[in-house]
Amino acid sequence: MEIDRKTFLDSLGGPEAASRMDSEARADALESHMMAQLNRAKTGDPAWDQIKPEKYPTVAEVEAQIETRKYREGVGFMYVPRTGENVRRLPPMPANPTLFDFFKFRFMDTSNHVLQSANLAMKNGMKEEIILACLLHDVVQEIIRTDHGW
């Protein structure tokens, strides 16, 4: 597959925007770009082309839109609520967040379930590794697509 570097970088908002992305975000963007190319090649449908806005929004414009949409830029329940309502602003994290802070401020949908699972493992005398696995087993659904990489 041929990737037109300029077209790809332009789809991200240009080289400067791409340079501000971490390696995981760039990899996800490239994967999405390649999937769109493959889908277009397979179906011949130009709707699979990535949408290229006339003008990329400023940070202030993006922040002003947060509570007006039913999704955030990203994936997972933290980004696309199960309820179908508009997303709310995420509460600020402390300067040095702990795992507890992530459960309190970011893993709202799955925290009760995984805490119950970890508590049950503790009550049954499971090893610490099993308790930690129970505590973390579903929080990934808050931050990434569960089918990512399949």
Side-chain angles (χ1 to χ4, degrees), residues 82-123:
R82 294 184 214 204
T83 60
E85 63 193 29
N86 288 356
V87 294
R88 288 182 231 115
R89 290 189 181 275
L90 293 172
M93 293 289 277
N96 297 308
T98 63
L99 183 59
F100 175 77
D101 294 320
F102 279 91
F103 276 92
K104 182 177 179 183
F105 297 117
R106 296 297 184 264
F107 303 154
M108 290 82 71
D109 279 1
T110 58
S111 64
N112 190 46
H113 163 67
V114 297
L115 289 169
Q116 287 176 346
S117 178
N119 187 38
L120 185 60
M122 285 177 62
K123 285 182 178 179

Side-chain angles (χ1 to χ4, degrees), residues 20-77:
R20 290 192 306 259
M21 298 168 78
D22 64 25
S23 59
E24 183 73 20
R26 283 192 306 268
D28 283 345
L30 180 58
E31 179 183 30
S32 178
H33 181 79
M34 292 170 68
M35 286 171 50
Q37 280 191 310
L38 287 171
N39 286 331
R40 180 170 188 214
K42 180 179 177 185
T43 64
D45 184 352
W48 286 102
D49 283 345
Q50 292 186 349
I51 298 168
K52 296 172 186 69
E54 297 286 322
K55 172 189 165 283
Y56 288 92
T58 65
V59 171
E61 290 169 336
V62 171
E63 286 182 353
Q65 293 175 3
I66 290 174
E67 294 178 342
T68 66
R69 297 177 298 181
K70 298 187 183 312
Y71 64 91
R72 284 187 178 81
E73 294 299 324
V75 294
F77 297 137

